PDB file of all heavy atoms in Angstrom:
ATOM      1  N   THR A  41      77.164  39.928  70.733  1.00 88.00           N
ATOM      2  CA  THR A  41      77.504  39.542  69.365  1.00 88.00           C
ATOM      3  C   THR A  41      78.675  40.334  68.798  1.00 88.00           C
ATOM      4  O   THR A  41      79.287  39.904  67.829  1.00 88.00           O
ATOM      5  CB  THR A  41      76.282  39.699  68.429  1.00 88.00           C
ATOM      6  OG1 THR A  41      75.819  41.047  68.489  1.00 88.00           O
ATOM      7  CG2 THR A  41      75.165  38.749  68.817  1.00 88.00           C
ATOM      8  N   GLU A  42      79.015  41.471  69.386  1.00 88.00           N
ATOM      9  CA  GLU A  42      80.143  42.261  68.872  1.00 88.00           C
ATOM     10  C   GLU A  42      81.466  41.881  69.515  1.00 88.00           C
ATOM     11  O   GLU A  42      82.499  41.946  68.862  1.00 88.00           O
ATOM     12  CB  GLU A  42      79.868  43.747  69.020  1.00 88.00           C
ATOM     13  CG  GLU A  42      78.839  44.221  68.018  1.00 88.00           C
ATOM     14  CD  GLU A  42      78.904  45.708  67.755  1.00 88.00           C
ATOM     15  OE1 GLU A  42      79.807  46.389  68.271  1.00 88.00           O
ATOM     16  OE2 GLU A  42      78.043  46.180  67.015  1.00 88.00           O
ATOM     17  N   THR A  43      81.453  41.504  70.794  1.00 90.00           N
ATOM     18  CA  THR A  43      82.705  41.091  71.427  1.00 90.00           C
ATOM     19  C   THR A  43      82.886  39.580  71.379  1.00 90.00           C
ATOM     20  O   THR A  43      83.916  39.079  71.810  1.00 90.00           O
ATOM     21  CB  THR A  43      82.788  41.548  72.901  1.00 90.00           C
ATOM     22  OG1 THR A  43      81.806  40.841  73.669  1.00 90.00           O
ATOM     23  CG2 THR A  43      82.623  43.045  73.033  1.00 90.00           C
ATOM     24  N   HIS A  44      81.875  38.858  70.889  1.00 94.00           N
ATOM     25  CA  HIS A  44      81.944  37.398  70.733  1.00 94.00           C
ATOM     26  C   HIS A  44      82.134  36.716  72.081  1.00 94.00           C
ATOM     27  O   HIS A  44      82.871  35.740  72.199  1.00 94.00           O
ATOM     28  CB  HIS A  44      83.055  37.018  69.744  1.00 94.00           C
ATOM     29  CG  HIS A  44      82.990  37.804  68.471  1.00 94.00           C
ATOM     30  ND1 HIS A  44      82.041  37.549  67.505  1.00 94.00           N
ATOM     31  CD2 HIS A  44      83.714  38.860  68.031  1.00 94.00           C
ATOM     32  CE1 HIS A  44      82.204  38.406  66.512  1.00 94.00           C
ATOM     33  NE2 HIS A  44      83.197  39.223  66.808  1.00 94.00           N
ATOM     34  N   GLN A  45      81.434  37.256  73.095  1.00 93.00           N
ATOM     35  CA  GLN A  45      81.569  36.743  74.451  1.00 93.00           C
ATOM     36  C   GLN A  45      80.203  36.532  75.100  1.00 93.00           C
ATOM     37  O   GLN A  45      79.192  37.045  74.635  1.00 93.00           O
ATOM     38  CB  GLN A  45      82.381  37.718  75.309  1.00 93.00           C
ATOM     39  CG  GLN A  45      83.816  37.839  74.858  1.00 93.00           C
ATOM     40  CD  GLN A  45      84.554  38.925  75.603  1.00 93.00           C
ATOM     41  OE1 GLN A  45      84.099  40.051  75.674  1.00 93.00           O
ATOM     42  NE2 GLN A  45      85.712  38.587  76.127  1.00 93.00           N
ATOM     43  N   ILE A  46      80.242  35.828  76.216  1.00 94.00           N
ATOM     44  CA  ILE A  46      79.080  35.660  77.083  1.00 94.00           C
ATOM     45  C   ILE A  46      79.460  36.267  78.422  1.00 94.00           C
ATOM     46  O   ILE A  46      80.579  36.080  78.908  1.00 94.00           O
ATOM     47  CB  ILE A  46      78.705  34.172  77.205  1.00 94.00           C
ATOM     48  CG1 ILE A  46      78.347  33.641  75.820  1.00 94.00           C
ATOM     49  CG2 ILE A  46      77.553  33.979  78.182  1.00 94.00           C
ATOM     50  CD1 ILE A  46      78.315  32.157  75.712  1.00 94.00           C
ATOM     51  N   TRP A  47      78.541  37.021  78.998  1.00 91.00           N
ATOM     52  CA  TRP A  47      78.793  37.771  80.228  1.00 91.00           C
ATOM     53  C   TRP A  47      77.846  37.321  81.331  1.00 91.00           C
ATOM     54  O   TRP A  47      76.713  36.937  81.062  1.00 91.00           O
ATOM     55  CB  TRP A  47      78.542  39.261  79.987  1.00 91.00           C
ATOM     56  CG  TRP A  47      79.438  39.898  78.971  1.00 91.00           C
ATOM     57  CD1 TRP A  47      79.421  39.728  77.619  1.00 91.00           C
ATOM     58  CD2 TRP A  47      80.486  40.822  79.235  1.00 91.00           C
ATOM     59  NE1 TRP A  47      80.387  40.491  77.023  1.00 91.00           N
ATOM     60  CE2 TRP A  47      81.057  41.175  77.989  1.00 91.00           C
ATOM     61  CE3 TRP A  47      80.989  41.391  80.398  1.00 91.00           C
ATOM     62  CZ2 TRP A  47      82.113  42.061  77.887  1.00 91.00           C
ATOM     63  CZ3 TRP A  47      82.042  42.291  80.285  1.00 91.00           C
ATOM     64  CH2 TRP A  47      82.595  42.619  79.039  1.00 91.00           C
ATOM     65  N   THR A  48      78.314  37.407  82.576  1.00 89.00           N
ATOM     66  CA  THR A  48      77.411  37.321  83.716  1.00 89.00           C
ATOM     67  C   THR A  48      77.101  38.754  84.120  1.00 89.00           C
ATOM     68  O   THR A  48      77.955  39.638  84.021  1.00 89.00           O
ATOM     69  CB  THR A  48      78.027  36.572  84.913  1.00 89.00           C
ATOM     70  OG1 THR A  48      79.246  37.212  85.283  1.00 89.00           O
ATOM     71  CG2 THR A  48      78.278  35.118  84.579  1.00 89.00           C
ATOM     72  N   VAL A  49      75.886  38.966  84.559  1.00 81.00           N
ATOM     73  CA  VAL A  49      75.413  40.322  84.832  1.00 81.00           C
ATOM     74  C   VAL A  49      74.701  40.359  86.170  1.00 81.00           C
ATOM     75  O   VAL A  49      73.913  39.465  86.484  1.00 81.00           O
ATOM     76  CB  VAL A  49      74.426  40.779  83.729  1.00 81.00           C
ATOM     77  CG1 VAL A  49      73.950  42.190  83.981  1.00 81.00           C
ATOM     78  CG2 VAL A  49      75.054  40.649  82.355  1.00 81.00           C
ATOM     79  N   THR A  50      74.990  41.374  86.958  1.00 79.00           N
ATOM     80  CA  THR A  50      74.191  41.660  88.144  1.00 79.00           C
ATOM     81  C   THR A  50      73.599  43.046  87.958  1.00 79.00           C
ATOM     82  O   THR A  50      74.261  43.953  87.456  1.00 79.00           O
ATOM     83  CB  THR A  50      75.023  41.627  89.438  1.00 79.00           C
ATOM     84  OG1 THR A  50      76.109  42.546  89.318  1.00 79.00           O
ATOM     85  CG2 THR A  50      75.558  40.235  89.718  1.00 79.00           C
ATOM     86  N   PHE A  51      72.342  43.194  88.316  1.00 71.00           N
ATOM     87  CA  PHE A  51      71.643  44.469  88.179  1.00 71.00           C
ATOM     88  C   PHE A  51      71.335  45.034  89.554  1.00 71.00           C
ATOM     89  O   PHE A  51      70.961  44.305  90.458  1.00 71.00           O
ATOM     90  CB  PHE A  51      70.310  44.295  87.437  1.00 71.00           C
ATOM     91  CG  PHE A  51      70.455  43.923  86.001  1.00 71.00           C
ATOM     92  CD1 PHE A  51      70.214  42.627  85.580  1.00 71.00           C
ATOM     93  CD2 PHE A  51      70.836  44.857  85.058  1.00 71.00           C
ATOM     94  CE1 PHE A  51      70.342  42.271  84.254  1.00 71.00           C
ATOM     95  CE2 PHE A  51      70.972  44.518  83.729  1.00 71.00           C
ATOM     96  CZ  PHE A  51      70.718  43.215  83.326  1.00 71.00           C
ATOM     97  N   ASP A  52      71.477  46.343  89.669  1.00 68.00           N
ATOM     98  CA  ASP A  52      71.006  47.054  90.844  1.00 68.00           C
ATOM     99  C   ASP A  52      69.582  47.514  90.556  1.00 68.00           C
ATOM    100  O   ASP A  52      69.020  47.224  89.509  1.00 68.00           O
ATOM    101  CB  ASP A  52      71.903  48.262  91.132  1.00 68.00           C
ATOM    102  CG  ASP A  52      73.340  47.844  91.423  1.00 68.00           C
ATOM    103  OD1 ASP A  52      73.548  46.768  91.998  1.00 68.00           O
ATOM    104  OD2 ASP A  52      74.245  48.604  91.045  1.00 68.00           O
TER     105      ASP A  52
END
Side-chain angles (χ1 to χ4, degrees):
T41 57
E42 287 202 5
T43 67
H44 311 285
Q45 294 173 308
I46 299 164
W47 297 72
T48 57
V49 181
T50 56
F51 292 104
D52 298 327

